[in-house]
């Protein structure tokens, strides 16, 4: 990660792909949650009740929006990506079905899917058929929890995911792997990708489930899960995605195991931010009004659905909100 200084300049124009802004855009009238369920690993949509950041309704009469017919035919860790113009949308998901016959976490991390499931739309209503896009090398054990960040300067997406790597001489992945790390590649169309590279790899800490929150023109907050202690921590960064990062001491909520952060800004209250954390059963919402010295407290849960899993929260324009509400009734 430290060796990528040649592309820092280009990254200064990067914007979050779901996109999240420090300033609260008056054009955002609500939120869309893209998620899945353990029992039914398919894509589910929840739409906010008005512009509430904590009250949501399951859409499409309770049925999934999309189902994977590729790879394992299960999809988890749903992420909705878009560009600045909001002219295209991509739903990304981990190609993983933990309910499949013979499933084991050991096999899933040694010889799991090296691809992600992708759907494309231009209106959030009509979606393409699912595609399985291989993004990892043969040495990787899996590709988990994809997310993406759009870069205005180069008109492409930076795609991130979690993986662990095996020796090139260990074709069967029977030996000891590297620690989990965050990897990345670039793409313009989610059909072809650059060669994968390490993004965040620590010598003593396995990392998965990275989530970005944009905080300025070239600054971000990011959240990562430490797999050793099953806790999520926060880092604040300047200089773009490949700039300098400062760890916020401790963990967001150290009293219980948590994963799969989904972070976003409040549409109506400037300076308020949310992180949803998956307690291995469902999301629990937290909020803060200070990202530099945060005290993440429990957010209100009146109207907050049960059963929400690792996904993403996207602010919506009126056009987007109305299209989803019409196409996917309660």
């Amino acid at each position: 990660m430290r060796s990528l200084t040649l592309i820092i300049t280009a990254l200064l124009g990067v914007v979050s792909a779901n996109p999240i802004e420090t300033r609260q855009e008056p054009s955002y009238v609500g939120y869309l949650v893209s998620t899945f369920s353990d029992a039914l690993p398919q894509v589910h949509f929840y739409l906010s009740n008005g512009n509430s950041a904590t009250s949501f309704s399951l859409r499409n009469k309770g049925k999934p929006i999309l189902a994977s017919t590729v790879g394992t035919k299960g999809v988890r860790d749903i992420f909705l990506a878009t560009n600045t113009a909001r002219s295209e949308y991509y739903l990304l998901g981990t190609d993983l079905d933990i309910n499949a016959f013979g499933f084991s976490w050991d096999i899933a991390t040694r010889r799991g899917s090296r691809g992600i499931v992708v759907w494309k739309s231009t209106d959030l209503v009509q979606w393409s058929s699912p595609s399985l896009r291989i993004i990892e090398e043969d040495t990787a054990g899996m590709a988990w929890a994809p997310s993406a960040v759009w870069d205005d300067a180069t008109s492409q997406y930076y795609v991130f995911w979690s993986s662990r790597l095996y020796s090139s001489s260990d074709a069967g992945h029977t030996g000891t792997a590297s620690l989990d790390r965050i990897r990345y590649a670039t793409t313009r169309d989610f059909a072809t990708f650059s060669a994968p590279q390490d993004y965040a790899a620590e010598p003593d800490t396995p990392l998965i489930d990275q989530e970005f929150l944009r905080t300025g023109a070239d600054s971000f907050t990011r959240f990562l899960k430490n797999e050793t202690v099953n806790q999520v921590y926060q880092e604040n960064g300047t200089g773009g995605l490949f700039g300098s990062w400062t760890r916020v001491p401790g963990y967001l909520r150290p009293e219980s195991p948590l994963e799969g952060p989904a972070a976003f800004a409040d549409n109506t209250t400037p300076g308020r931010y949310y992180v949803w954390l998956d307690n291995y059963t469902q999301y629990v919402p937290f909020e803060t009004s200070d990202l530099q010295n945060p005290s993440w407290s429990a957010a209100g849960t009146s109207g907050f659905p049960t059963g929400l899993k690792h996904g993403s929260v996207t602010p919506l324009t009126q056009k987007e909100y109305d299209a989803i509400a019409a196409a996917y009734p309660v």
Side-chain angles (χ1 to χ4, degrees), residues 18 20 79 147 208-213 221-224 260-264 310-313:
N18 57 330
I20 302 168
F79 188 90
S147 65
I208 67 170
D209 292 358
Q210 178 180 252
E211 170 80 345
F212 287 108
L213 176 64
T221 289
R222 69 181 181 187
F223 304 91
L224 301 106
F264 62 102
H310 185 171
S312 61
V313 183

Side-chain angles (χ1 to χ4, degrees), residues 17 32-35 43-45 59-60 64-69 78-83 86-93 117-131 157 190 312 314 316 320 323-325 327-328:
L32 174 66
V33 181
S34 307
T35 186
V43 180
H44 302 256
F45 276 178
R59 309 304 295 195
N60 204 36
I65 301 298
L66 297 165
S68 176
T69 56
I78 311 302
F79 188 90
L80 177 62
T82 188
N83 55 13
R86 301 175 88 93
S87 60
E88 61 185 15
Y89 308 88
Y90 294 93
L91 276 168
L92 318 177
V117 182
V118 179
W119 289 267
K120 182 179 180 179
S121 176
T122 58
D123 58 7
L124 291 171
V125 174
Q126 300 296 322
W127 292 92
S128 69
S129 298
S131 298
Y157 295 89
F190 286 90
S312 61
T314 305
L316 297 175
E320 293 166 336
I324 292 169
Y328 307 118

